[in-house]
Amino acid sequence: MQTLYVGRIYTLADGDVAGPVEALLTEGSRVRAAGARAALEPALRPGDRVVDLGGATLIPGFVDAHVHLVPHGFRLTDVDLSGAQSLAEAVRRIAARHARLAPGQALRGGGWSAAGWERPPTRHDLDAVCPGRPVALFSRDLHTIWVNSYTLERAGITRDTPDPPGGRIERDPGGEPTGLLRDGAIPPVLAALPARAPAELEEALAAAVRDALAGGVTAVADMAADIAVDDVAAFRAMQSLARRGELPLRVVKYVPEAALDRLAAAGVESGLGDDRLRLGGVKLFADGSLGSATAWMLADYADRPGYRGVPVHTPEELDDRVRRAVAAGLNLAIHAIGDAANRAVLDALARHRQASKARGLLHRIEHAQHLDPADVARFGALGVVASVQPAHLPGDRDLALRHLGPERARTSFALASLRRAGALLALGSDAPVVPLRPLQGIHAAVYRRLPGEDRAWFPEEALTPLEALLAATLWAARACGIGDRAGSLAPGKLADLTVLSRDVLSGREEDIVEAEVLATVVGGRLVHGDLASRPV
Amino acid sequence: MQTLYVGRIYTLADGDVAGPVEALLTEGSRVRAAGARAALEPALRPGDRVVDLGGATLIPGFVDAHVHLVPHGFRLTDVDLSGAQSLAEAVRRIAARHARLAPGQALRGGGWSAAGWERPPTRHDLDAVCPGRPVALFSRDLHTIWVNSYTLERAGITRDTPDPPGGRIERDPGGEPTGLLRDGAIPPVLAALPARAPAELEEALAAAVRDALAGGVTAVADMAADIAVDDVAAFRAMQSLARRGELPLRVVKYVPEAALDRLAAAGVESGLGDDRLRLGGVKLFADGSLGSATAWMLADYADRPGYRGVPVHTPEELDDRVRRAVAAGLNLAIHAIGDAANRAVLDALARHRQASKARGLLHRIEHAQHLDPADVARFGALGVVASVQPAHLPGDRDLALRHLGPERARTSFALASLRRAGALLALGSDAPVVPLRPLQGIHAAVYRRLPGEDRAWFPEEALTPLEALLAATLWAARACGIGDRAGSLAPGKLADLTVLSRDVLSGREEDIVEAEVLATVVGGRLVHGDLASRPV
């Protein structure tokens, strides 16, 4: 069956990049043609459908080049206590979640703050609604967990347990643990929780997928789970959903460093998979983060003389990892926040550039957040993807000024410079750290401030709306190794598209800020929202 | 574009299994419909094509459930000296091959016999046409290799080298090695050859793929390379061709036991891949072979009292491997020739049946050649595939009589009994051990003798032609995990089909023996032979 979409359509295909076309014809899972309505209508046959977009705008589906799907899913499926105005309200939410869980399954979640509550919560509050179940509920600042008596018992914590180093077990006047555990007292309790069952991971994954589709995203690169989630189990959950035909989102999977030698020894190379789930490559870390002051810098932190952050690998180790990955036919996605980390990674990738090219590999630097000016041009020259998350900018700009000072902060999120120097730029959200909403990243990339703020942060590094849209679709698809089949609406490519309520290329800020995702289509199939169609 | 095939068509789809239909309509890579010509013709549109089969017969493409692609390819690409009637003729073939090789690449091959030659060959014959190149040419009986002076030098073999244990270095009257090495003298020389380069593996793979297509095969299960070929390199060659769009055959890859823990630790499960190349599972060995008298039997070999063959694994080890594979979401294909090996494997699979079912796994026994009558019914009951290679029957029947005696040989290649007991039977060739020609296996399964012979071997175990054809198409596809999309020509399935010159279901033996493959189509694309078509 064919579908003819009529309205304002940005295909982003060669020749049509600059402006909209009037009509798009898809056939089954593929794009057949785009152009003038009158030119495409003769190809329609009985049984085909026509979608009149009205005032809406159709674009290629967003490709989010950097997400953590299963951790994002847990944010959605675990109990959310944020905004609970009273202890009673929090307990109500917990009881509702408890009722939905299988026996023995842990009740996890967080987001609570007792600031406005009548008293701090205790284990007794939880014992009343979810006794006999492992529970762990993080406070909003992540420095405290709230548990029930059963969980304390499982972890072996009694009135006689001393406070662990760097932690505190809160106790009532009689000396009994209250159920609140702080900092260093948290990890032993988490370790005593039962592991997430495969069904839990699949439920979380499905929730994350639904959320991505609701954001107009049709493909993602999954950047391996964080330490709190077993990434092998997350990958298995993806394969389970894909086998069952329950993965409407396209996923390109990057696996953790531990998998590098395993894949190499088994002969599994980047690209194995299909248009639903595919092995992208291996994720490495070169340094930490700016928020924790572990980004690895070339010069001292401005606020901490003599300190330059924490490299995860020596240059020799990075070189070794790159060499092994290239020999094994595996693309790398290497986390590098600080300018020293970025330089070390570029150095390592440069040494293996010829071998990488010969094997058709495409490596990426994830974040590429703070760059020495001398390194900006190396991304383009070396063919290394700059995989950036502009939605971090509003949160990180003050940190950058504090840790780097105004001069070195100038090449933070250096999007325009990277682009001018020929880098392949790919936009990602880094969900769950920020929402899985590409329009938020596009706004940050174009305006370099929050909506409603006055002053942009180094506005000379802003992308144009068209550049930002390309970086969130076609360029991101290329960065994920699927640019030959996704990312633009060229004939023969997959019919992955998103319908927005606003024209995000109008040049008006409010059209980006207020754009809503009306419909998401993956492989010709409507997977989110509504699309009124009529027969030919 | 649609294609309408008209003629004698066996779809083997539900409802049409028994008899032919008149027409088949494909659209792009898929089957759209099958039935009466008059019912399908109205669906044709301008630009579509019609193929009139004339007297030919169209069937679903053969699925060969057990091949070794790269080793098979080497049989085709290495120099073939079989049938060389003179030393000069052999040297001519060697010189021709030499001219096509890159500098430093080893010249390998075999099949020569000096029986009718004027004298045994020597290194000097090779030095004259391929000096300075590593060479190793096996005799037809595989007990001798013929090499040049350069190869002797690389292996460090001189007049002073003593004969190794169980081997002989042939020497001339002056005591110099002649270039012929026998038995135990062979392995050190082979070990000194350069490894096969990736390009050599890809060339061999491409040759094997072309040969499979020429045999009407559209999909195979690759059962891991033999010890002479690095299977990891073979798997990489498959991925290279698939990435380049140069793999017209569908391949379901089984990897060696060494990969089990690697895949498990990386979280890669059976099924990852696409309709071109997909991970099938892990190949294990439970015993050896009948030819080498290492098949593991329940009772003594008839010709060797007190001897029962060689198990590769203890029952505890088998149980451990099955448990680990099931936990990792990996299908197993377990080589078992002798009745003791088959029982041990069935016992191990039985213990993990529930877990396998829960994970949707399908395990196979490869060969299932000699069965205790008590075990025949267990294949069906346990849902274990019997992956059989009937083309081995003519070669193995005398061995079976000698090693097992006439009574125990009765349940060798017990195809009809397995089928009656509900086993999923899958036919394979085991190429390169026998030719990659499914019709040869179908003939052996139906007639249980060679063409032209008088007496069938235990004819009560013969399959009907329809059963044999199903076992070589739909059932084999199911055994490979692709029965939902290949193996029959049901609407929505892949348009994988083969056109034969004869009606192999006519019931006439000559229609199987003399059937030629006129055309092979994979995913709607002609990949072998010719198909005359005309516009609508």
Side-chain angles (χ1 to χ4, degrees):
Chain A
M1 198 194 75
Q2 301 185 115
T3 303
L4 183 71
Y5 298 87
V6 179
R8 184 186 302 105
I9 294 164
Y10 295 105
T11 68
L12 303 187
D14 289 344
D16 290 333
V17 174
V21 296
E22 189 183 19
L24 174 77
L25 183 64
T26 65
E27 180 168 18
S29 62
R30 300 272 170 179
V31 173
R32 190 168 162 195
R37 177 178 189 160
L40 301 187
E41 272 181 340
L44 289 174
R45 305 183 291 241
D48 291 343
R49 311 284 302 179
V50 176
V51 174
D52 192 328
L53 294 168
T57 296
L58 187 155
I59 61 169
F62 289 122
V63 178
D64 190 324
H66 189 119
V67 300
H68 306 273
L69 279 179
V70 169
H72 184 64
F74 283 134
R75 289 284 180 99
L76 302 169
T77 56
D78 288 348
V79 67
D80 178 11
L81 303 177
S82 58
Q85 296 297 317
S86 65
L87 178 55
E89 168 61 21
V91 168
R92 260 195 304 276
R93 294 188 198 175
I94 293 161
R97 176 73 183 154
H98 170 73
R100 290 183 47 222
L101 294 180
Q105 194 179 349
L107 195 160
R108 304 174 201 244
W112 59 271
S113 166
W117 295 0
E118 58 276 25
R119 60 169 171 82
T122 72
R123 61 188 165 99
H124 304 297
D125 301 312
L126 296 174
D127 293 345
V129 292
C130 51
R133 177 186 297 286
V135 178
L137 301 164
F138 271 91
S139 63
R140 195 172 58 193
D141 68 4
L142 303 175
H143 287 277
T144 303
I145 58 170
W146 170 24
V147 306
N148 61 4
S149 301
Y150 177 78
T151 305
L152 289 173
E153 196 180 309
R154 278 178 69 107
I157 293 174
T158 67
R159 58 181 298 131
D160 302 323
T161 308
D163 284 351
R168 192 161 80 247
I169 299 166
E170 294 291 341
R171 302 168 202 262
D172 64 22
E176 291 290 336
T178 67
L180 294 184
L181 302 135
R182 309 226 191 251
D183 293 318
I186 296 175
V189 177
L190 294 186
L193 294 180
R196 305 261 198 183
E200 286 179 80
L201 273 89
E202 292 174 21
E203 182 196 13
L205 175 60
V209 166
R210 282 192 301 273
D211 189 55
L213 300 173
V217 176
T218 55
V220 302
D222 183 87
M223 278 297 138
D226 57 28
I227 48 165
V229 175
D230 173 2
D231 191 68
V232 168
F235 190 18
R236 292 192 188 287
M238 292 171 194
Q239 292 170 86
S240 288
L241 262 61
R243 275 196 301 269
R244 296 204 301 263
E246 296 172 8
L247 189 63
L249 180 73
R250 305 191 193 282
V251 179
V252 180
K253 180 78 184 98
Y254 286 77
V255 294
E257 179 172 346
L260 197 167
D261 288 343
R262 295 163 184 167
L263 294 175
V268 174
E269 303 184 344
S270 282
L272 188 68
D274 61 15
D275 287 338
R276 202 50 62 165
L277 177 63
R278 182 183 300 280
L279 181 67
V282 174
K283 171 91 179 290
L284 301 184
F285 283 84
D287 68 346
S289 72
L290 198 66
S292 55
T294 48
W296 179 24
M297 307 302 301
L298 290 167
D300 292 355
Y301 275 57
D303 52 342
R304 195 167 161 191
Y307 176 77
R308 298 186 173 188
V310 182
V312 171
H313 287 300
T314 65
E316 294 70 29
E317 287 169 349
L318 278 176
D319 184 76
D320 170 69
R321 304 300 187 277
V322 174
R323 186 179 42 71
R324 286 191 281 143
V326 171
L330 294 165
N331 299 313
L332 287 171
I334 311 181
H335 166 115
I337 303 264
D339 50 14
N342 276 279
R343 176 168 295 174
V345 172
L346 289 166
D347 288 348
L349 293 175
R351 275 191 292 276
H352 301 278
R353 172 145 199 246
Q354 290 312 318
S356 296
K357 272 184 83 170
R359 302 208 55 149
L361 297 176
L362 181 65
H363 306 303
R364 319 165 22 149
I365 293 185
E366 302 305 313
H367 309 304
Q369 196 163 307
H370 308 290
L371 301 176
D372 187 271
D375 289 325
V376 169
R378 298 177 73 199
F379 285 81
L382 295 172
V384 174
V385 174
S387 171
V388 296
Q389 299 76 38
H392 283 319
L393 186 148
D396 278 2
R397 57 191 166 176
D398 292 340
L399 280 172
L401 286 174
R402 187 199 317 161
H403 291 320
L404 310 182
E407 189 50 38
R408 286 157 67 200
R410 198 174 272 285
T411 39
S412 295
F413 298 95
L415 308 184
S417 295
L418 283 164
R419 176 67 197 141
R420 268 196 307 276
L424 179 59
L425 271 183
L427 256 56
S429 65
D430 206 5
V433 185
V434 297
L436 214 168
R437 290 293 178 269
L439 286 165
Q440 186 174 332
I442 288 174
H443 180 272
V446 173
Y447 293 96
R448 296 180 71 87
R449 53 167 174 70
L450 292 173
E453 290 182 337
D454 284 341
R455 291 192 44 207
W457 196 69
F458 299 114
E460 63 274 21
E461 289 295 351
L463 297 183
T464 68
L466 177 58
E467 287 172 332
L469 183 60
L470 281 163
T473 54
L474 182 59
W475 301 346
R478 288 182 184 150
C480 298
I482 57 173
D484 59 336
R485 61 197 73 193
S488 69
L489 296 168
K493 279 186 147 183
L494 294 162
D496 295 353
L497 54 92
T498 293
V499 178
L500 301 172
S501 62
R502 301 277 193 127
D503 176 2
V504 290
L505 296 187
S506 70
R508 290 191 304 271
E509 183 177 2
E510 64 266 31
D511 281 339
I512 293 177
V513 175
E514 293 177 17
E516 288 176 24
V517 175
L518 303 179
T520 309
V521 170
V522 176
R525 203 163 65 85
L526 180 72
V527 289
H528 169 79
D530 286 306
L531 271 183
S533 71
R534 58 176 173 78
V536 172
Chain B
M1 197 194 73
Q2 300 186 115
T3 303
L4 184 70
Y5 298 86
V6 180
R8 186 186 301 105
I9 294 163
Y10 295 105
T11 67
L12 303 187
D14 289 343
D16 289 333
V17 174
V21 296
E22 192 183 16
L24 174 77
L25 183 65
T26 64
E27 180 167 18
S29 63
R30 299 273 170 178
V31 173
R32 187 167 165 197
R37 177 178 189 161
L40 301 186
E41 273 181 339
L44 289 174
R45 305 184 289 241
D48 291 344
R49 309 285 301 178
V50 176
V51 173
D52 192 328
L53 295 168
T57 296
L58 188 156
I59 61 169
F62 290 121
V63 178
D64 190 323
H66 189 120
V67 300
H68 306 274
L69 279 179
V70 170
H72 184 63
F74 283 133
R75 290 284 182 99
L76 301 169
T77 57
D78 287 348
V79 67
D80 178 10
L81 303 177
S82 57
Q85 296 296 318
S86 66
L87 178 54
E89 167 61 21
V91 168
R92 262 195 302 276
R93 295 188 197 174
I94 292 161
R97 176 72 183 153
H98 170 72
R100 291 182 46 222
L101 294 180
Q105 193 179 350
L107 195 160
R108 304 172 202 246
W112 59 271
S113 166
W117 295 0
E118 58 276 24
R119 59 169 173 79
T122 72
R123 60 189 165 99
H124 305 295
D125 302 312
L126 296 174
D127 293 346
V129 293
C130 51
R133 177 186 297 285
V135 178
L137 301 164
F138 272 92
S139 63
R140 195 171 60 191
D141 69 2
L142 302 176
H143 287 276
T144 303
I145 58 170
W146 171 24
V147 306
N148 62 4
S149 301
Y150 177 78
T151 305
L152 287 174
E153 196 180 310
R154 277 179 68 106
I157 293 173
T158 67
R159 56 180 299 128
D160 301 324
T161 308
D163 286 351
R168 191 161 79 245
I169 300 166
E170 294 291 341
R171 301 166 202 264
D172 65 22
E176 291 290 337
T178 66
L180 294 185
L181 302 134
R182 309 224 192 254
D183 294 317
I186 296 174
V189 177
L190 294 186
L193 294 179
R196 306 260 198 185
E200 285 181 81
L201 274 88
E202 291 175 20
E203 182 195 13
L205 175 59
V209 166
R210 281 192 301 272
D211 188 55
L213 300 173
V217 176
T218 54
V220 303
D222 183 87
M223 278 296 138
D226 57 28
I227 48 167
V229 175
D230 174 1
D231 191 68
V232 168
F235 188 20
R236 291 192 188 287
M238 293 172 195
Q239 291 170 86
S240 287
L241 263 62
R243 274 196 302 268
R244 296 205 301 263
E246 296 172 9
L247 189 61
L249 180 72
R250 306 191 192 282
V251 178
V252 179
K253 180 78 183 98
Y254 286 76
V255 293
E257 178 171 346
L260 197 167
D261 287 343
R262 296 162 184 167
L263 294 175
V268 174
E269 302 185 345
S270 282
L272 189 67
D274 62 14
D275 287 337
R276 202 51 62 168
L277 178 62
R278 182 183 298 281
L279 180 67
V282 175
K283 170 89 179 290
L284 300 184
F285 283 84
D287 67 349
S289 73
L290 198 65
S292 56
T294 47
W296 178 24
M297 307 302 301
L298 290 167
D300 293 355
Y301 276 56
D303 54 341
R304 195 166 161 191
Y307 176 77
R308 298 187 173 188
V310 181
V312 170
H313 286 300
T314 64
E316 293 71 28
E317 287 169 350
L318 279 177
D319 183 75
D320 170 68
R321 305 302 187 274
V322 174
R323 185 178 42 72
R324 285 191 282 143
V326 170
L330 294 164
N331 298 313
L332 287 171
I334 310 181
H335 166 114
I337 302 265
D339 49 13
N342 276 277
R343 177 168 295 174
V345 172
L346 289 166
D347 288 349
L349 294 175
R351 274 192 293 277
H352 300 278
R353 172 143 201 249
Q354 290 311 319
S356 297
K357 274 184 79 170
R359 301 210 55 151
L361 297 175
L362 181 64
H363 305 303
R364 319 164 23 146
I365 292 186
E366 302 305 312
H367 310 303
Q369 197 163 308
H370 308 288
L371 301 176
D372 187 89
D375 289 324
V376 169
R378 297 177 73 197
F379 285 80
L382 295 171
V384 174
V385 173
S387 171
V388 297
Q389 299 77 37
H392 283 319
L393 185 150
D396 278 2
R397 56 191 166 178
D398 292 342
L399 279 172
L401 286 172
R402 187 198 315 158
H403 291 320
L404 310 182
E407 189 50 38
R408 285 156 68 199
R410 197 174 274 283
T411 39
S412 295
F413 298 95
L415 308 183
S417 294
L418 283 163
R419 176 66 197 141
R420 268 197 306 275
L424 179 59
L425 270 183
L427 255 56
S429 64
D430 207 3
V433 186
V434 296
L436 214 167
R437 290 294 178 268
L439 286 164
Q440 186 174 330
I442 288 173
H443 180 272
V446 173
Y447 293 96
R448 295 182 71 88
R449 55 169 172 69
L450 292 172
E453 288 181 339
D454 284 340
R455 290 192 44 208
W457 196 70
F458 300 113
E460 63 274 20
E461 289 294 350
L463 297 183
T464 67
L466 177 58
E467 285 172 333
L469 183 60
L470 281 163
T473 54
L474 181 59
W475 300 346
R478 288 182 184 151
C480 299
I482 57 172
D484 58 336
R485 60 197 73 191
S488 69
L489 297 168
K493 280 187 148 183
L494 294 161
D496 295 354
L497 53 92
T498 293
V499 179
L500 300 172
S501 62
R502 302 277 193 127
D503 176 2
V504 290
L505 296 186
S506 70
R508 289 191 305 270
E509 183 177 1
E510 64 267 31
D511 282 340
I512 294 177
V513 175
E514 293 176 17
E516 288 174 25
V517 175
L518 303 179
T520 308
V521 171
V522 176
R525 202 163 66 86
L526 180 72
V527 289
H528 169 78
D530 286 305
L531 271 183
S533 71
R534 57 175 173 79
V536 172

